[in-house]
Every structure is written in C-alpha cells, then in structure tokens.
Amino acid sequence: MASGQQWVLVEMVQAFYEAPAYHLILEGILILWIIRLLFSKTYKLQERSDLTEKEKEELIEEWQPEPLVPPVSKDHPSLNYDIVTGPPSHKIIVNGKECINFASFNFLGLLDNERVKKKALASLKKYGVGTCGPRGFYGTFDVHLELEDRLAKFMRTEEAIIYSYGFATIASAIPAYSKRGDIVFVDEAACFSIQKGLQASRSFIKYFKHNDMDDLERLLKEQELEDQKNPRKARVTRRFIVVEGLYINTGDVCPLPDLVNLKYKYKVRIFLEESMSFGVLGEHGRGVTEHFGVNIDDIDLISANMENAVASVGGFCCGRSFVIDHQRLSGQGYCFSASLPPMLAAAAIEALNIMEEDPEIFTILREKCRHVHKALQGIPGLKVVGEAFTPALHLQLEKSSGSRDTDGKTLRSIVQYCLERQIALTLARYLEKEERFLPPPTIRVVVTVEQTEEEIEKAAGLIREAALTVLK
C-alpha cells in the first residue's frame, strides 16, 4: 500500500514538471482565488460616524424626493381640451358653439343613426348597462356570440372574436402569438397600439421603411441567411409581418399584394390591422383585402376596431377558427377585461345591417374623400398627406420651423381659427416620448358621408384663409 502511494506521488510530480507553463499559471491563479474567497468577508461594513438626533432631523428636512412624473406646462394641449356637449355627429357642439364636424371618425355617419340608437336602447332595457365580468366568467351574452357570427360572415372568414376596447385588440392579439425569440417585421409608421402589442410580446422587432417592399425584402433575406447558419433554431422561430391596411398616421394604404407575395416567398405570417380601412375600403366595406382583390385566406389574422366606421366601441379579430380560438385562451384583453356592454354589441350588429343593406354608402364616402382631397390642394404653406380615398387626411407644414413645439402651436392656431368660425378640426396627437418613430405635427381632417359639398368647400376655404392669416 505504501509503495502504491509513493508511486502516485511520483506520477504527480512528474506530471507537474511536464505540464505547460500556462497550465500551471492558470491553476495557481485559481488556487489563490479560492484561498481569497475562503478568508475574505462576504461584505464590507460601511465606515460612518453616528449622527446625532439633531443632524438626522436636519438631513430629513433638507431631503427632497424626485418628482413622480416630469413637470408639464399648464398650457399643454392635453390639459386644455375642448369640451363637447351632445353627440359628436355631423354637427358637434364644442365649447358651447355648434360646428361642422371634421374631427370625429364617424365615417359612415352611424353614430347618431336612429336605427342604431333604437337597437342600443332596447338592449339597454333588456341587459342593463355593463357586464361586470370577462367573457370566461359569466360575461358572455347571446348578443356577443351573434356579433361574432355576423362579423365572421361579413368578413367572409371562419370565425371572429370581439374585444371590449379597440386599442387592446391588436395590442392583445400580437403577444398571443408572437413570443420571446420570435421575429416580427413591422412598418415604421405602425400605430401606437401595434407598438404596445410588440412591446408586450418581447419578440425581436425589425422595422422596415414605410411601405418600402425592397427594404422589407432586404430584411427577410438577411433573416433567411441567419436561419441557414442555425437551422435548428430556425425551425422553432416564428416570423410575422405586421402592417396597417390604411395607416392612421400617414393616410396611405399598404401594398397588400406585394406583402402576400413576400409572405409565401419567405414563409412568414401576415397580421393586418384594419381599424381605418374596415367599413371604408372595398366595394362592400370589407377593407384592404377587398380593395385589392386579395383572397382573405392569404392573411393570417385581421384586426380592426369598431370605434370608427361602425360607430360603437371595442374591436374584433377574424380569421381561421384555430387561430381565433387561441385568442380565447391567450388574448389578455379578452381574458381579463369585462366584456363589451350588450347595448354596444347590439349597436354594432345594427350598423352591420345598414352596411350590408346599403353598400352604396361606401361609394359615397370615397367620392366625398376625393372631393375633400382635391379641395385642400394648393393651400399656401400646407401640404396634404394621404391617399385621395382615405377618410382621414393630414395637413402638414411645407416648411418646418425646426421646432416641434413651434410647429404644433402654428397648426393649433389654424385649428382655433377654424373652430371660432364653426369648423371643428383637430391636431393629430401622439405620446411623444413613447412613439418609436414620431410623426411630424399635422392637422387631421376627417371625412364623413354626411358632409355636403357646400360644407366641404366652406371648410377648405376657411383652412386656406387661416393658413394665409397664421403663416403670413
């Protein structure tokens, strides 16, 4: 036994002499580090002298907490809003003055429609005001199921799901499918609700230039090359393209046929947000898919709110049944928010009835949009931003002062000038510190079917007059 131990010791000494120098140095450093850890204290006591009671009181009196929120000027527009009394329909009472409404997204004029109000009132008497529970906890009413069925049939999809808050619809739908590690390709002009959905998903976000299909394809090709380097990871990574049908911040439409071609070429999924195009584009108001003649089955998920053309509240998603059913388990806004008040669901159903009975209303709206777009051309100092068929145009300063605040005040003066003369306009508002790509300040001009040619000409003339007065 002793000779065996002696032989092991000899082998260790021999191995020590034969080992490379860097190996010995590394082992020596590790041994020294272990010794240091064993004998060092786990923490260091902070050396300080004890304070007297008087000194403690003085320090407490001197201490000033940091403000909970950053300081905001009292003249900030969000703190000095105009007050509306009565329905914001074709004629709107702002600060006690009746004006022609060019500010509310009441595109089809259904907000004050007698048929819609009658149905909502009957539902109010039957069901009460609210639901006081999410869909999974006694918050599902028969009128909710009827609305979902009607929306699915209207959009010609297998199934639809409704949310009680329009903003939360796409903000809940995106993180229901896209998770950490997945990749989302997003247009730079995407609205704020899409941005919040992306943030909640914790996915890897790649922005492409607005409506630039070459830039999008460049990003898709780069991702394809990365996937080839790590095919095992690529097999479990989902890829999405998220766009708006009609962009609220720019007033232009997405090139949907090109997006569908890229979808099949690079094997990605398309999420289409249609809050501005639903009830507006297409022969029957079905949105940008009908506008371009694209098969709706080529789109993986369509989302829209019911707060614009439908003149109700809430939103919906539609698509294949297995896609929609997943949201009933994973859509945060669906699972945890109180369901849509039945009277608003009944109002939305009646609005769909009117849209189906009178498809000519969409042709009238497009004609009014072209009329407004043409009437606003050539205003000194202002340029029109948006397609001729969009019902929400933007007026932007041709030459910026270089200061966002100054530009905003200039445009606000134009809005105020028109408001004093009974034309209600509004500035496009943004959460400036949270927007990913902050749009420039603009005046938003909203078109509805109820506006007459005389009112459109009056509004255009007043805007021109205001621009000449303010921008002189």
Side-chain angles (χ1 to χ4, degrees):
M1 177 67 70
S3 61
Q5 290 179 348
Q6 187 177 4
W7 176 251
V8 172
L9 183 61
V10 170
E11 280 189 337
M12 290 175 62
V13 173
Q14 186 178 357
F16 179 79
Y17 279 107
E18 291 177 357
Y22 73 88
H23 189 78
L24 297 174
I25 293 170
L26 181 60
E27 286 189 345
I29 293 172
L30 290 173
I31 291 169
L32 292 173
W33 183 256
I34 291 170
I35 293 171
R36 181 180 181 277
L37 290 175
L38 289 173
F39 292 97
S40 63
K41 293 180 179 179
T42 56
Y43 62 92
K44 293 182 179 179
L45 294 173
Q46 294 182 355
E47 296 181 2
R48 65 175 182 80
S49 60
D50 293 332
L51 299 174
T52 65
E53 289 299 323
K54 183 179 180 180
E55 290 172 330
K56 289 179 182 179
E57 290 177 2
E58 289 176 351
L59 287 173
I60 291 171
E61 289 178 0
E62 292 174 0
W63 181 75
Q64 292 292 332
E66 291 185 3
L68 184 62
V69 295
V72 179
S73 173
K74 291 295 184 182
D75 62 352
H76 193 281
S78 296
L79 301 179
N80 298 274
Y81 36 77
D82 298 306
I83 300 173
V84 176
T85 51
S89 52
H90 174 50
K91 296 289 181 69
I92 183 172
I93 300 175
V94 184
N95 300 332
K97 180 180 294 185
E98 186 179 73
C99 303
I100 303 168
N101 193 349
F102 282 84
S104 301
F105 292 148
N106 182 27
F107 302 141
L108 302 181
L110 299 177
L111 188 145
D112 204 28
N113 182 278
E114 289 300 325
R115 283 177 55 182
V116 173
K117 290 194 294 184
K118 185 177 179 180
K119 287 290 183 181
L121 184 59
S123 179
L124 175 64
K125 292 178 179 178
K126 179 180 180 179
Y127 297 101
V129 178
T131 62
C132 297
R135 288 289 296 271
F137 299 92
Y138 300 106
T140 297
F141 290 52
D142 53 358
V143 71
H144 293 142
L145 301 178
E146 182 184 353
L147 176 57
E148 288 177 341
D149 182 62
R150 289 294 307 278
L151 285 167
K153 289 178 179 176
F154 181 83
M155 293 298 292
R156 296 180 177 175
T157 57
E158 292 180 4
E159 195 171 336
I161 180 173
I162 59 172
Y163 286 77
S164 54
Y165 181 28
F167 184 93
T169 305
I170 190 64
S172 296
I174 291 174
Y177 303 99
S178 185
K179 308 294 183 180
R180 187 189 296 274
D182 295 334
I183 300 169
V184 187
F185 302 90
V186 192
D187 193 293
E188 286 183 350
C191 62
F192 194 62
S193 56
I194 289 178
Q195 295 175 43
K196 289 288 112 177
L198 296 172
Q199 185 179 344
S201 74
R202 299 177 296 174
S203 302
F204 185 57
I205 313 302
K206 294 188 176 183
Y207 287 93
F208 59 91
K209 296 176 183 176
H210 177 52
N211 274 352
D212 190 334
M213 295 300 98
D214 292 333
D215 191 44
L216 173 57
E217 187 164 17
R218 175 185 63 80
L219 293 175
L220 290 168
K221 284 180 179 177
E222 289 177 358
Q223 187 58 45
E224 190 176 52
L225 293 173
E226 289 182 22
D227 292 343
Q228 290 172 2
K229 296 176 184 177
N230 192 348
R232 188 174 180 180
K233 180 183 177 183
R235 280 195 294 270
V236 297
T237 301
R238 288 164 293 196
R239 299 161 198 82
F240 304 88
I241 296 174
V242 179
V243 293
E244 290 181 69
L246 191 60
Y247 287 88
I248 188 173
N249 292 339
T250 62
D252 49 12
V253 69
C254 73
L256 190 60
D258 296 333
L259 288 165
V260 171
N261 292 335
L262 292 175
K263 166 191 170 172
Y264 289 112
K265 183 177 180 180
Y266 293 97
K267 297 179 175 59
V268 293
R269 299 175 175 91
I270 294 180
F271 284 4
L272 184 61
E273 214 293 320
E274 291 224 60
S275 291
M276 294 297 291
S277 50
F278 173 71
V280 173
L281 297 184
E283 185 180 353
H284 302 90
R286 295 192 179 96
V288 73
T289 51
E290 188 178 47
H291 175 76
F292 282 112
V294 171
N295 187 342
I296 202 164
D297 291 333
D298 290 332
I299 310 303
D300 297 277
L301 184 74
I302 290 178
S303 165
N305 71 41
M306 298 183 289
E307 300 166 357
N308 298 338
V310 179
S312 183
V313 172
F316 70 93
C317 292
C318 60
R320 296 186 182 275
S321 293
F322 71 92
V323 175
I324 298 304
D325 286 344
H326 180 72
Q327 284 189 57
R328 300 190 191 279
L329 302 173
S330 302
Q332 295 179 3
Y334 179 90
C335 294
F336 301 110
S337 295
S339 58
L340 186 69
M343 64 177 179
L344 295 173
I349 292 171
E350 190 61 26
L352 287 174
N353 289 337
I354 295 170
M355 291 162 65
E356 289 178 335
E357 293 168 10
D358 185 20
E360 186 66 21
I361 195 171
F362 307 112
T363 303
I364 295 171
L365 178 62
R366 284 191 291 274
E367 290 174 355
K368 295 286 177 70
C369 291
R370 291 189 180 95
H371 188 176
V372 172
H373 189 274
K374 183 178 180 181
L376 294 176
Q377 299 294 326
I379 295 178
L382 296 176
K383 63 179 179 180
V384 182
V385 179
E387 302 280 0
F389 50 76
T390 179
L393 297 166
H394 293 263
L395 290 175
Q396 183 180 331
L397 290 173
E398 285 184 340
K399 294 181 179 179
S400 171
S401 65
S403 167
R404 185 176 184 86
D405 289 341
T406 302
D407 290 350
K409 289 178 180 177
T410 300
L411 294 174
R412 200 175 303 121
S413 298
I414 295 175
V415 170
Q416 192 62 34
Y417 184 97
C418 294
L419 185 62
E420 291 171 357
R421 291 156 181 78
Q422 299 181 309
I423 295 293
L425 302 170
T426 184
L427 291 178
R429 300 287 175 83
Y430 307 98
L431 293 177
E432 298 182 4
K433 294 183 179 179
E434 296 192 38
E435 286 279 351
R436 183 67 173 77
F437 297 94
L438 183 61
T442 58
I443 296 171
R444 184 177 284 136
V445 182
V446 180
V447 187
T448 72
V449 294
E450 295 178 305
Q451 294 158 358
T452 65
E453 290 188 10
E454 293 77 12
E455 290 168 342
I456 291 171
E457 292 298 330
K458 177 184 176 181
L462 269 177
I463 295 171
R464 185 183 303 274
E465 184 181 308
L468 290 170
T469 303
V470 174
L471 301 176
K472 61 183 178 179

